[in-house]
Amino acid sequence: MDIAHLLNRQLTVWRTVTTDDGYGGQQTSHVQTGAVPAKVDQPSASERVLAQQGGVPHSHTVYLQPSADVRRGDELRGGGQVLRVLSVVTPSAPLYRRAECELREQENT
């Protein structure tokens, strides 16, 4: 079974990288590592309650192809949204990957 027909959005993957600054310190920045087809859903009420009980700000669930290179700590960007990946799960039958995410809202400046 293939889920590609359900993945209706294209999101860019941004990963935090740390490099030496040449003075004994380090600099951290986000680097775009690619793009992935995805389906973005809001979690069910029971999923939100479970996340709140665990102290996790789970606001969106992103479904991806099983081969998608998306990791905890990455940001998924697209459609004016920035989603911080909290965890990534692949079921025992690897038909898809599921990323639990938090929507990062931008402030007006």
Side-chain angles (χ1 to χ4, degrees), residues 55-77:
V56 180
H58 178 200
S59 65
H60 288 73
T61 301
V62 179
Y63 293 92
L64 308 155
Q65 292 180 329
S67 60
D69 183 17
V70 173
R71 305 174 190 171
R72 182 178 183 260
D74 286 352
E75 287 185 353
L76 302 174
R77 301 179 186 180

Side-chain angles (χ1 to χ4, degrees), residues 9-11 77-82:
R9 290 179 65 180
Q10 191 76 9
L11 301 175
R77 301 179 186 180
Q81 293 180 317
V82 177

